[in-house]
C-alpha cells in the first residue's frame, strides 16, 4: 500500500522532473535553433502549453500537501514560481516582450523546483 508520504514524494519528484524538462526545453531549444538552423524547428505553442500544464498539475499536488502542513515557505515558493511560469507561457498574450519570457520561465521553474524539493525534504503530506 502506498502511504500519503510516499505518494507526496512521488508527486514532488515528478514535479521536479517536469519543471526541469520545461526549463531545459525553454533554455535549450533557442540554442539548438541558433546552432542548427538547417533543422527548421518551429516555435510550437502547444508544447509550451503542454509543459506548463504538467508543471501546474504537480505544483497543485505540492501546494495541497504544503497547505495541509501549513508549510508557508513551500507554498510561497511554488505559488511564486508557478505564477512566473504561467505569465511566461502566456507572455505574448498579456503583452510582455519576447525577451522577458526566457528569464521569467527560468526563475519560475527554479522556484517551483525549490518548492518541490523543500516539500519532499520536509515530508509534507
Amino acid at each position: 500500500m502506498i502511504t500519503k508520504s510516499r505518494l507526496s514524494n512521488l508527486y514532488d519528484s515528478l514535479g521536479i522532473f517536469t519543471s526541469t524538462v520545461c526549463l531545459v526545453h525553454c533554455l535549450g531549444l533557442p540554442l539548438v535553433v541558433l546552432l542548427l538552423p538547417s533543422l527548421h524547428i518551429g516555435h510550437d505553442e502547444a508544447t509550451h502549453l503542454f509543459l506548463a500544464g504538467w508543471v501546474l498539475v504537480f505544483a497543485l499536488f505540492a501546494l495541497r500537501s504544503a497547505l495541509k502542513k501549513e508549510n508557508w515557505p513551500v507554498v510561497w515558493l511554488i505559488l511564486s514560481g508557478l505564477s512566473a511560469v504561467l505569465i511566461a507561457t502566456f507572455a505574448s498574450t498579456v503583452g510582455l516582450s519576447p525577451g522577458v519570457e526566457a528569464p521569467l520561465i527560468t526563475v519560475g521553474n527554479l522556484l517551483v523546483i525549490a518548492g518541490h524539493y523543500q516539500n519532499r525534504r520536509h515530508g509534507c503530506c
Side-chain angles (χ1 to χ4, degrees):
M1 180 173 187
I2 297 178
T3 65
K4 286 184 180 183
S5 178
R6 290 185 76 188
L7 191 59
S8 179
N9 283 343
L10 174 65
Y11 289 145
D12 284 318
S13 295
L14 290 171
I16 290 168
F17 174 76
T18 303
S19 294
T20 302
V21 168
C22 184
L23 184 63
V24 168
H25 165 79
C26 291
L27 293 177
L29 187 61
L31 293 175
V32 169
V33 170
L34 286 173
L35 296 174
L36 303 169
S38 62
L39 290 178
H40 302 292
I41 298 173
H43 180 267
D44 188 2
E45 195 62 35
T47 301
H48 289 176
L49 293 174
F50 176 78
L51 289 171
W54 277 108
V55 169
L56 173 65
V57 166
F58 293 116
L60 292 175
F61 281 116
L63 279 173
R64 180 177 175 257
S65 68
L67 284 167
K68 284 173 84 174
K69 293 291 184 178
E70 297 182 3
N71 191 340
W72 301 114
V74 169
V75 170
W76 289 115
L77 276 171
I78 291 178
L79 282 177
S80 300
L82 187 57
S83 296
V85 167
L86 293 176
I87 290 169
T89 301
F90 298 103
S92 61
T93 307
V94 295
L96 294 175
S97 74
V100 173
E101 183 179 348
L104 194 57
I105 205 148
T106 299
V107 169
N109 276 305
L110 290 172
L111 289 170
V112 171
I113 290 167
H116 280 296
Y117 175 76
Q118 289 297 321
N119 198 42
R120 192 174 74 184
R121 188 170 156 228
H122 294 297
C124 286
C125 56

